Amino acid sequence: MGTPNPASTYNQSTDKLLSILELLCVTGQPMRLNEISSKLNFNSSTALRFLNSLERNGYVYKDLDSNKYRMTYKICGLASYVSNSAEIINIASGPIRSLSYSLGECVCLAISQSYQVVYVYVCDGPKRILQSTQRIGKIAPMHATGVGKVLLTDFSDQEIDEMIAERGLTWYTENTITSKDQLLKELQIIKKQGYGFDNQECDLGARCIALPIRDYTDHIIASMSVTGPAEAMTDDFYKVHFDEIKRTADEISARLGYQQKK
Amino acid sequence: MGTPNPASTYNQSTDKLLSILELLCVTGQPMRLNEISSKLNFNSSTALRFLNSLERNGYVYKDLDSNKYRMTYKICGLASYVSNSAEIINIASGPIRSLSYSLGECVCLAISQSYQVVYVYVCDGPKRILQSTQRIGKIAPMHATGVGKVLLTDFSDQEIDEMIAERGLTWYTENTITSKDQLLKELQIIKKQGYGFDNQECDLGARCIALPIRDYTDHIIASMSVTGPAEAMTDDFYKVHFDEIKRTADEISARLGYQQKK
DNA sequence: ATGAATATTTTAATTATTGAAATATAATAT
DNA sequence: ATATTATATTTCAATAATTAAAATATTCAT
């Protein structure tokens, strides 16, 4: 990770192609050849060749009137294979959509991968004008997110050490947990009460509650969060809706074969 | 379209890279280097170089235990930019999710692009074990799908001719409409009643009802369908649920600024 | 431990890629 | 209309990246 492989074992075209794809996707707006080539510092004929290839393959569409290139939906199709192949998303998406719709807030499902949090399903709340910046595929630190901390409660001491060694405990806001001691204490609390908060620890202004999702192995395999602006996500809000939120998480666990202990 | 550009204006690496991505996505299972290179007829060191690059860029993850490569969720993140940039999906996804949840069936939203149907949002019904093969980004013919025919009702005669010239009226099943006369008649019926069916015209076994979505310009800009196995999607089923389906489509149109005429 | 299978690196040959310049096309101003 | 400018596309020689076979290293299975 981070260490670049020797030149002979990788491929420059890949980098170029992906940077074009990323530019077109993130920008969201159709772009002219010149815009693309100058933004990426490609010679225009180089950019053109990549764009032609992308178009031939159906990923990009060139509007003949404006001469602008834009993404087609083909990449969404590819992506849907990836997200659909994960059993948990099939199982969890229904309950999550319902919860999001009922609360009018953003509900996320995240897993851990390589000591990071990966959001695998995000359902934006229709209520908010400022929609959350959470999106499917987004990577986030474990120690500074509600879902991350919940996932960490199921890590062994050794795994937590590895996580810290590999990823560190980066400071994001004045609330970020940046020492191992603090983190272990927090994990104890979350373990005991069965849910955790992110009190603007990653992003000032954003607060969430996060709960564990378990499967038949009894292990925490994912975490679900309800996220929103700190002013709205008050303790009161969570108190009022806790039962509904908890019921949703438990429903997902149950569908994954988790047998609740009593 | 179809006519390959001269060799100098496209790029081979793009084709190779995309074929690796497609293979990994569609297969859904982690794959070894040898599997990938032999399936695609790449030399193993070539495949390795592409995979290393994809991994460096975070799109592919190599499991160090099994030596298998698999997609990460990063491509889902890219794709979500594409689908989120379309205003209509933001507006329509909520009502569509609710309808799908309430009926327990697959609900799709499709637009037309280059005389084809593109599914831009798909919400699988939780009820069916055999989930539909509809997915976001999927391309389908206009004359053989419910959504396509609904979209065609807003095309000019000239546009319909162009569609036929460019795409033809390909035969898929014994129910497929394959003559212009038949098609025009069918469009008249759909126009009059305000909705259309796909009676196993594209795929034997699949039936759907499709309704138009209009925006403030009064034009049909999308079509919504409720799809399922023909045995379940009976006339009776649609009769029972028609009001709810219609209400959902109208709600989306209303949110897009369409003023219903009386 | 040993042998078989698979992954990775090395290397020289090749071939696709590059980018500057020329040309063509489209957009805008006169 | 015509000239002017901007943008897109093609051409082509120089170059650098890619290729694939073989060598080596690693991993897996017995």
Side-chain angles (χ1 to χ4, degrees):
Chain A
M1 288 250 59
T3 326
N5 307 24
S8 69
T9 61
Y10 83 103
N11 169 298
Q12 295 200 350
S13 303
T14 299
D15 289 1
K16 289 194 181 129
L17 186 74
L18 292 175
S19 64
I20 289 182
L21 281 179
E22 285 168 9
L23 178 66
L24 282 176
C25 285
V26 173
T27 307
Q29 293 299 316
M31 294 177 93
R32 324 184 117 261
L33 174 64
N34 268 0
E35 266 181 285
I36 296 168
S37 59
S38 63
K39 280 230 169 87
L40 298 174
N41 267 97
F42 293 172
N43 182 288
S44 64
S45 44
T46 300
L48 182 65
R49 234 156 353 87
F50 279 98
L51 287 164
N52 279 338
S53 304
L54 281 168
E55 197 187 11
R56 269 161 57 101
N57 282 284
Y59 287 89
V60 156
Y61 177 80
K62 181 190 184 186
D63 186 276
L64 290 174
D65 295 325
S66 64
N67 257 344
K68 287 182 175 176
Y69 295 88
R70 63 174 172 70
M71 297 298 297
T72 67
Y73 281 92
K74 189 163 180 183
I75 196 165
C76 303
L78 267 198
S80 74
Y81 281 106
V82 173
S83 55
N84 275 14
S85 68
E87 183 62 5
I88 182 175
I89 299 173
N90 280 330
I91 287 175
S93 61
I96 285 179
R97 287 197 296 264
S98 305
L99 180 64
S100 168
Y101 197 74
S102 156
L103 297 179
E105 302 291 349
C106 175
V107 181
C108 304
L109 184 75
I111 60 172
S112 74
Q113 206 167 78
S114 314
Y115 302 123
Q116 291 180 304
V117 162
V118 183
Y119 291 91
V120 295
Y121 194 77
V122 174
C123 203
D124 272 324
K127 207 160 104 184
R128 304 267 155 235
I129 293 176
L130 284 173
Q131 298 248 311
S132 90
T133 61
Q134 311 291 39
R135 17 181 90 254
I136 294 169
K138 188 177 157 174
I139 305 274
M142 298 199 76
H143 70 289
T145 54
V147 283
K149 291 187 296 182
V150 164
L151 289 164
L152 281 175
T153 61
D154 209 33
F155 274 38
S156 67
D157 290 351
Q158 194 200 334
E159 284 173 314
I160 288 177
D161 286 340
E162 276 171 20
M163 186 275 287
I164 295 174
E166 195 152 323
R167 304 290 177 190
L169 297 174
T170 310
W171 186 96
Y172 294 97
T173 76
E174 60 210 30
N175 296 341
T176 310
I177 295 174
T178 53
S179 82
K180 186 180 165 185
D181 268 6
Q182 263 183 295
L183 181 63
L184 292 178
K185 246 179 245 162
E186 171 83 349
L187 295 184
Q188 279 310 318
I189 295 170
I190 294 175
K191 225 173 195 165
K192 197 165 166 198
Q193 64 191 11
Y195 57 89
F197 292 103
D198 164 5
N199 283 311
Q200 314 186 47
E201 292 161 41
C202 192
D203 232 343
L204 276 183
R207 189 164 189 242
C208 84
I209 191 172
L211 289 83
I213 307 287
R214 290 171 220 265
D215 71 359
Y216 59 92
T217 65
D218 261 26
H219 282 294
I220 297 177
I221 58 156
S223 173
M224 185 192 84
S225 67
V226 178
T227 301
E231 301 81 39
M233 300 295 102
T234 57
D235 285 337
D236 253 9
F237 174 88
Y238 287 130
K239 218 169 277 166
V240 171
H241 297 289
F242 183 78
D243 281 352
E244 188 179 357
I245 297 170
K246 179 81 162 64
R247 214 178 314 121
T248 304
D250 288 347
E251 166 70 16
I252 296 169
S253 293
R255 292 197 196 177
L256 289 163
Y258 173 65
Q259 309 269 11
Q260 197 146 1
K261 300 164 268 192
K262 38 181 175 197
Chain B
M1 289 253 55
T3 326
N5 307 23
S8 68
T9 61
Y10 82 103
N11 170 298
Q12 296 199 349
S13 303
T14 299
D15 289 1
K16 287 191 182 132
L17 186 75
L18 292 175
S19 65
I20 290 183
L21 281 180
E22 286 168 9
L23 178 66
L24 283 175
C25 286
V26 173
T27 308
Q29 294 297 316
M31 294 177 94
R32 326 185 115 263
L33 174 64
N34 266 1
E35 266 180 287
I36 297 168
S37 59
S38 64
K39 280 229 170 89
L40 299 174
N41 266 99
F42 293 171
N43 183 288
S44 65
S45 45
T46 300
L48 182 65
R49 232 157 354 87
F50 279 98
L51 287 165
N52 279 338
S53 304
L54 281 168
E55 196 185 12
R56 270 162 55 102
N57 282 284
Y59 287 89
V60 156
Y61 177 80
K62 181 189 182 185
D63 188 276
L64 290 173
D65 296 326
S66 65
N67 256 345
K68 286 183 176 178
Y69 296 89
R70 63 174 171 72
M71 296 298 297
T72 68
Y73 282 92
K74 191 164 180 184
I75 196 166
C76 303
L78 266 199
S80 75
Y81 281 106
V82 174
S83 55
N84 275 15
S85 67
E87 182 64 4
I88 183 175
I89 299 173
N90 280 330
I91 287 176
S93 61
I96 285 179
R97 284 197 297 263
S98 306
L99 180 64
S100 167
Y101 197 74
S102 157
L103 298 180
E105 301 292 349
C106 174
V107 182
C108 305
L109 184 74
I111 59 171
S112 74
Q113 208 167 76
S114 314
Y115 302 122
Q116 290 181 305
V117 162
V118 183
Y119 290 91
V120 296
Y121 194 78
V122 174
C123 203
D124 271 325
K127 206 160 104 183
R128 303 266 156 237
I129 293 176
L130 284 174
Q131 298 249 311
S132 90
T133 62
Q134 310 292 38
R135 12 183 92 254
I136 294 170
K138 187 175 159 178
I139 306 272
M142 298 198 77
H143 69 289
T145 54
V147 284
K149 291 186 294 180
V150 164
L151 290 164
L152 280 176
T153 62
D154 210 32
F155 274 38
S156 67
D157 291 350
Q158 194 200 333
E159 284 174 313
I160 289 178
D161 285 341
E162 277 171 20
M163 187 276 284
I164 295 175
E166 194 152 324
R167 304 292 176 191
L169 298 174
T170 311
W171 186 95
Y172 294 98
T173 75
E174 58 210 29
N175 296 342
T176 310
I177 294 175
T178 52
S179 82
K180 187 181 162 186
D181 268 5
Q182 263 183 295
L183 181 63
L184 291 178
K185 250 179 240 161
E186 170 83 349
L187 296 185
Q188 279 311 317
I189 295 170
I190 294 175
K191 225 173 196 168
K192 196 165 167 197
Q193 64 190 12
Y195 57 88
F197 292 102
D198 164 4
N199 283 311
Q200 315 188 46
E201 292 161 40
C202 191
D203 231 344
L204 276 184
R207 188 164 190 241
C208 85
I209 190 171
L211 290 83
I213 307 286
R214 289 171 220 266
D215 71 359
Y216 58 92
T217 66
D218 262 26
H219 281 293
I220 297 176
I221 59 157
S223 174
M224 186 191 85
S225 68
V226 178
T227 301
E231 301 78 40
M233 299 295 102
T234 56
D235 285 336
D236 253 8
F237 174 87
Y238 287 131
K239 220 168 275 170
V240 171
H241 297 289
F242 183 77
D243 281 351
E244 189 180 358
I245 297 170
K246 179 80 163 65
R247 215 180 311 120
T248 304
D250 288 347
E251 166 70 16
I252 296 169
S253 293
R255 292 197 196 176
L256 289 165
Y258 173 64
Q259 309 270 8
Q260 198 145 1
K261 300 164 266 187
K262 34 177 175 202

